[in-house]
Amino acid sequence: MLSELPSIAVRGRYSVTEAARVMGVDRSTIRRWIEAGTMRCGYHRHNKRRFVTGEEIQRFFNAQIL
């Protein structure tokens, strides 16, 4: 995981792969965090794929660093 907040759009939506790339972790790590309930995600209505908001990435990042 990165040691400083990545540059993200707080109002943006990121796929699991994009969120993993931004945070410097593997996709499976993001999935584990979602399944464990430590990271929240949304689902696209048309294809049921998960996404993580920029706001959630920022919240999660700040919680892990502090």
Side-chain angles (χ1 to χ4, degrees):
M1 187 153 168
L2 300 175
S3 60
E4 57 184 60
L5 183 64
S7 62
I8 56 167
V10 176
R11 299 271 182 208
R13 289 182 175 181
Y14 296 87
S15 69
V16 171
T17 302
E18 291 169 334
R21 189 177 308 125
V22 166
M23 296 182 77
V25 297
D26 192 67
R27 291 183 324 201
S28 61
T29 303
I30 298 289
R31 288 189 191 111
R32 261 195 318 273
W33 289 339
I34 290 171
E35 294 300 321
T38 56
M39 180 177 265
R40 294 175 294 217
C41 72
Y43 294 90
H44 291 286
R45 286 186 199 173
H46 64 284
N47 63 9
K48 306 291 189 233
R49 290 186 184 224
R50 294 182 242 193
F51 66 85
V52 181
T53 63
E55 185 177 10
E56 177 61 14
I57 292 172
Q58 186 176 27
R59 183 204 64 80
F60 186 83
F61 187 84
N62 289 335
Q64 296 303 313
I65 295 301
L66 299 176

